[in-house]
Amino acid sequence: MSDLDSLRTRFARALEAARGPADGPDPAPYADALLTRWQEPRRRYHTVEHLTAVLDRVDELERYAHDPDVVRLAAWFHDAVYLPDRSENEERSARLAERALAEAGLPEAKTAEVARLVRLTVTHDPADDDPDGQVLCDADLAILASPPSAYAAYTTAVREEYHFVPSDAFREGRAAILRQLLDLPRLFRTPHGAAAWEATARYNLRSELELLGESPSGPPSTS
């Protein structure tokens, strides 16, 4: 289980580093509001554990970021709005960031940058000259490079979030997402992500496609 007090401290540090410690209201209520969202009972994968993992990966990759504290704030907001049956979660999360961070005293340019980064998690396809986008997207996708047991737990949790979707429809939709990821020229854009995670992640994605009865490069298997 994630340490909620530690997460509150991490949010406060990121916000105060990005805006200045005396440049706005107490960060604690904003952290608590976000943690309430991340603990919604309908969540199975997009939980505080996922938030913690993404923040840990941002810490691991921070040397590549232009503004790592802005990236950390984007990590806090990137799945803050999460309804599995809705398609605009990233947009709604970005708008939440725009409202909350402006109120919390973050400068307008940095608030806009957080929102831009959140919206980037729709495609996970940052530009070559976007180091902050690369760090956030790599941190969010790092789960794909997990060892087999952790990857299996991840896929199980994702299926549980979509429990209301019939099996055939889920298999089709999940396969499309996996193919979209495999079609990216690179899953990971930071030097560390590319070296440490790319090969394992692609292996896991191809293996999951095969478990879904799909060929990694073709139509559904009939075998």
Side-chain angles (χ1 to χ4, degrees):
M1 293 293 292
S2 296
D3 183 336
L4 298 184
D5 286 338
S6 175
L7 284 169
R8 292 183 183 96
T9 299
R10 292 174 81 168
F11 178 82
R13 287 175 177 168
L15 178 60
E16 290 178 345
R19 72 169 193 201
D23 292 342
D26 183 356
Y30 298 93
D32 286 340
L34 286 164
L35 288 171
T36 295
R37 289 178 175 275
W38 283 96
Q39 295 178 91
E40 292 163 339
R42 62 176 166 269
R43 296 173 183 248
R44 293 295 182 272
Y45 170 63
H46 295 89
T47 62
V48 289
E49 285 72 29
H50 171 59
L51 170 63
T52 301
V54 174
L55 290 170
D56 288 347
R57 298 291 79 75
V58 172
D59 288 350
E60 188 174 352
L61 299 170
E62 69 173 329
R63 64 188 181 276
Y64 304 113
H66 171 70
D67 193 337
D69 288 301
V70 164
V71 180
R72 291 183 179 98
L73 292 174
W76 273 91
F77 280 94
H78 83 285
D79 283 320
V81 178
Y82 188 74
L83 296 168
D85 60 340
R86 304 286 288 273
S87 61
E88 69 276 17
N89 290 313
E90 292 86 358
E91 179 60 30
R92 294 179 68 198
S93 295
R95 292 178 183 178
L96 175 66
E98 289 168 340
R99 295 192 303 271
L101 292 173
E103 180 182 295
L106 194 68
E108 182 178 351
K110 291 189 176 185
T111 297
E113 176 65 359
V114 170
R116 183 191 71 82
L117 292 170
V118 171
R119 292 183 173 103
L120 190 58
T121 61
V122 174
T123 62
H124 293 97
D125 191 15
D128 290 340
D129 60 351
D130 183 7
D132 288 346
Q134 292 175 3
V135 169
L136 179 64
C137 289
D138 278 18
D140 194 26
L141 293 182
I143 182 65
L144 301 180
S146 297
S149 60
Y151 190 86
Y154 151 69
T155 59
T156 297
V158 170
R159 181 65 181 108
E160 289 174 355
E161 285 187 337
Y162 287 88
H163 63 89
F164 54 88
V165 178
S167 294
D168 288 348
F170 178 82
R171 185 167 57 249
E172 180 180 348
R174 180 68 180 171
I177 291 170
L178 298 175
R179 291 186 189 283
Q180 179 183 9
L181 289 168
L182 284 168
D183 284 344
L184 291 172
R186 291 176 293 162
L187 288 167
F188 299 102
R189 305 304 181 88
T190 63
H192 178 79
W197 301 332
E198 183 83 20
T200 301
R202 287 190 177 274
Y203 174 84
N204 285 337
L205 292 172
R206 289 192 295 266
S207 297
E208 185 183 355
L209 267 176
E210 291 173 356
L211 287 173
L212 292 172
E214 300 270 339
S215 166
S217 59
S221 171
T222 57
S223 61

